[in-house]
């Protein structure tokens, strides 16, 4: 009886030693930190995956003392997921191209990378390759990284959260009809022209009452939010309410009910000075306004900002210079 008990205990000890000596089946990624930030942040609109991408820089950092090893697919769609939620915590649907790619039977090529203690590895991805942004709104964006590839989704590392604002597409602010050039059927698109040309074309469009051309190079949202009360209301509004506010603002401008200086029609004008850096600038213009018995002279200072190669007017000031 004692011999049998001794044999049983010996077998259990040997089995325990064997189990303990085996390598862990699940790799430990507790020392891996994943962070995201916007790369070359600009204004983002629904759709337009190629023309208006949402580039995000992804960084994987080894916060531990041992070498961190993980797999990274050549096609990053098999290594990570972006998750976007609304303010009501509703998740957006993944892009149809992403679903098709992952549901297709194919070989996934990957590299095994090693990061030493304190080192990082970074790359850039377009969020719109992963998520469909169909409506303008504010979304909360996160990333989940799969160090053992997408097929092993039970091993995932979540990143920090970013706030992503998708604005109404510029051409959608006015109406459901796309603006076209006068006497042609060509759709209006902003061009990569200099700040002084932007201001010049905007003033000429106003002189000719060509409203679609007048609004082409104007950041209506920023113009509207110059009013602090309007900014407060806008920040508290839903996506649909924000779109209505922008539409109402545009309508009020066209009917000369607000911001009278910006929609005033000069008899003539002369660009006085243009100064700008890579992303921001100012164009000052002398403008003459004709009245029955005199002409009034004003100096306009148009603030412009460059996004994706396009300059837009987002603010202005006016100085009265007297009459002639």
């Amino acid at each position: 009886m004692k011999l049998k008990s001794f044999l049983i205990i010996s077998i259990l000890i040997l089995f325990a030693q064997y189990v303990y000596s085996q390598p862990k089946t699940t790799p430990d990624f507790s020392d891996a930190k994943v962070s995201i930030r916007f790369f070359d942040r600009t204004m983002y609109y629904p759709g337009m995956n190629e023309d208006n991408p949402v580039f995000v820089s992804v960084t994987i950092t080894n916060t531990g003392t041992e070498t961190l090893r993980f797999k990274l697919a050549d096609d990053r769609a098999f290594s990570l997921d972006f998750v976007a939620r609304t303010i009501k915590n509703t998740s957006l649907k993944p892009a149809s191209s992403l679903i098709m790619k992952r549901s297709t039977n194919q070989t996934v090529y990957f590299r095994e990378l090693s990061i030493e203690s304190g080192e990082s590895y970074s790359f850039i991805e377009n969020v719109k390759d992963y998520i469909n942004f169909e409506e303008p709104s504010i979304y909360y964006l996160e990333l989940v990284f799969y160090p053992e590839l997408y097929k092993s989704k039970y091993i995932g590392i979540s990143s920090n959260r970013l706030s992503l604002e998708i604005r109404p597409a510029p051409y959608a602010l006015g109406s459901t009809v796309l603006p076209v050039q006068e006497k042609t059927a060509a759709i209006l698109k902003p061009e990569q022209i200099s700040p002084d040309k932007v201001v010049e074309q905007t003033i000429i469009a106003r002189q000719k009452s060509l409203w679609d051309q007048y609004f082409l190079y104007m950041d209506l949202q920023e113009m509207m939010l110059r009013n602090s009360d309007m900014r407060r209301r806008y920040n508290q509004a839903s996506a649909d309410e924000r779109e209505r506010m922008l539409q109402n603002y545009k309508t009020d401008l066209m009917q000369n009910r607000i911001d009278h200086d910006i929609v005033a029609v000069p008899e003539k004008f002369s660009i006085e000075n243009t100064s700008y850096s890579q992303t921001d600038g100012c164009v000052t213009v002398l403008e003459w306004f004709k009245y029955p018995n005199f002409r009034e002279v004003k100096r306009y200072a148009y603030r412009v900002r460059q996004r994706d190669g396009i300059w837009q007017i987002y603010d202005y000031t006016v100085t009265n210079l007297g009459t002639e």
Side-chain angles (χ1 to χ4, degrees):
M1 189 71 179
K2 291 183 178 179
L3 179 61
K4 184 181 292 185
S5 299
F6 176 76
L7 289 173
I8 293 174
I9 293 172
S10 298
I11 291 171
L12 290 174
I13 292 173
L14 290 172
F15 179 75
Q17 289 177 340
Y18 171 78
V19 171
Y20 183 79
S21 65
Q22 295 304 302
K24 295 181 181 179
T25 56
T26 302
D28 181 14
F29 295 103
S30 59
D31 291 329
K33 177 184 177 182
V34 178
S35 60
I36 57 176
R37 63 177 178 83
F38 289 110
F39 178 81
D40 192 23
R41 188 167 188 169
T42 182
M43 292 180 287
Y44 306 116
Y45 307 110
M48 304 169 64
N49 291 20
E50 295 183 1
D51 296 333
N52 182 235
V54 179
F55 284 129
V56 166
S57 177
V58 182
T59 300
I60 304 166
T61 303
N62 181 1
T63 62
T65 57
E66 303 294 329
T67 301
L68 174 67
R69 295 180 173 85
F70 59 91
K71 298 173 183 176
L72 185 66
D74 293 347
D75 185 341
R76 305 286 163 70
F78 295 97
S79 279
L80 54 92
D81 259 328
F82 281 99
V83 180
R85 294 184 175 87
T86 66
I87 56 177
K88 295 182 180 180
N89 204 33
T90 302
S91 297
L92 297 190
K93 296 179 180 179
S96 56
S97 59
L98 179 67
I99 297 174
M100 183 177 298
K101 182 183 297 184
R102 288 175 173 173
S103 60
T104 302
N105 187 18
Q106 61 178 297
T107 302
V108 177
Y109 297 96
F110 64 89
R111 294 174 292 162
E112 291 192 85
L113 300 180
S114 299
I115 302 179
E116 299 302 323
S117 176
E119 294 184 347
S120 299
Y121 180 84
S122 300
F123 54 89
I124 297 171
E125 284 294 294
N126 179 9
V127 180
K128 288 186 177 180
D129 289 339
Y130 296 80
I131 299 174
N132 281 326
F133 294 101
E134 299 177 348
E135 300 293 335
S137 184
I138 292 179
Y139 300 98
Y140 299 107
L141 183 68
E142 293 181 45
L143 177 140
V144 179
F145 176 66
Y146 306 118
E148 290 292 301
L149 304 183
Y150 179 75
K151 64 181 180 181
S152 303
K153 290 195 297 182
Y154 61 90
I155 306 177
I157 308 171
S158 297
S159 74
N160 56 304
R161 176 181 292 187
L162 298 178
S163 178
L164 170 63
E165 182 177 5
I166 301 294
R167 300 187 178 190
Y171 58 77
L173 294 178
S175 64
T176 57
V177 180
L178 294 177
V180 297
Q181 294 180 6
E182 185 184 27
K183 299 180 181 180
T184 75
I187 296 176
L188 281 176
K189 292 183 179 179
E191 299 177 350
Q192 294 185 0
I193 57 179
S194 61
D196 55 324
K197 288 295 182 182
V198 164
V199 172
E200 179 183 41
Q201 289 194 20
T202 300
I203 297 174
I204 292 175
R206 181 65 191 99
Q207 288 176 322
K208 296 181 178 181
S209 296
L210 301 175
W211 288 106
D212 287 329
Q213 294 186 29
Y214 174 73
F215 291 123
L216 190 62
Y217 293 100
M218 193 172 291
D219 187 338
L220 283 175
Q221 176 177 300
E222 288 300 318
M223 294 287 286
M224 180 182 72
L225 297 183
R226 295 169 71 249
N227 183 296
S228 58
D229 181 61
M230 190 70 73
R231 180 180 292 274
R232 178 184 56 79
R233 289 168 49 200
Y234 186 83
N235 290 338
Q236 296 173 353
S238 65
D240 290 340
E241 290 171 338
R242 289 183 174 190
E243 189 170 353
R244 283 194 295 271
M245 290 174 68
L246 286 168
Q247 176 58 49
N248 291 337
Y249 176 73
K250 186 173 183 179
T251 301
D252 287 342
L253 285 177
M254 294 173 66
Q255 296 182 3
N256 202 21
R257 290 198 291 249
I258 58 174
D259 291 351
H260 304 289
D261 285 322
I262 194 63
V263 292
V265 183
E267 178 190 26
K268 65 177 183 176
F269 68 94
S270 174
I271 294 179
E272 187 177 39
N273 183 64
T274 303
S275 60
Y276 58 95
S277 63
Q278 187 174 359
T279 58
D280 197 82
C282 181
V283 180
T284 58
V285 184
L286 293 178
E287 301 186 26
W288 287 263
F289 298 87
K290 187 177 181 179
Y291 295 92
N293 300 319
F294 63 92
R295 285 198 307 180
E296 189 175 26
V297 186
K298 297 182 179 181
R299 175 180 287 112
Y300 279 69
Y302 297 93
R303 299 292 304 181
V304 293
R305 186 162 50 197
Q306 191 255 120
R307 294 289 186 272
D308 295 332
I310 304 299
W311 290 94
Q312 287 186 309
I313 300 169
Y314 71 92
D315 196 1
Y316 73 98
T317 57
V318 181
T319 304
N320 293 319
L321 301 180
T323 59
E324 292 181 349

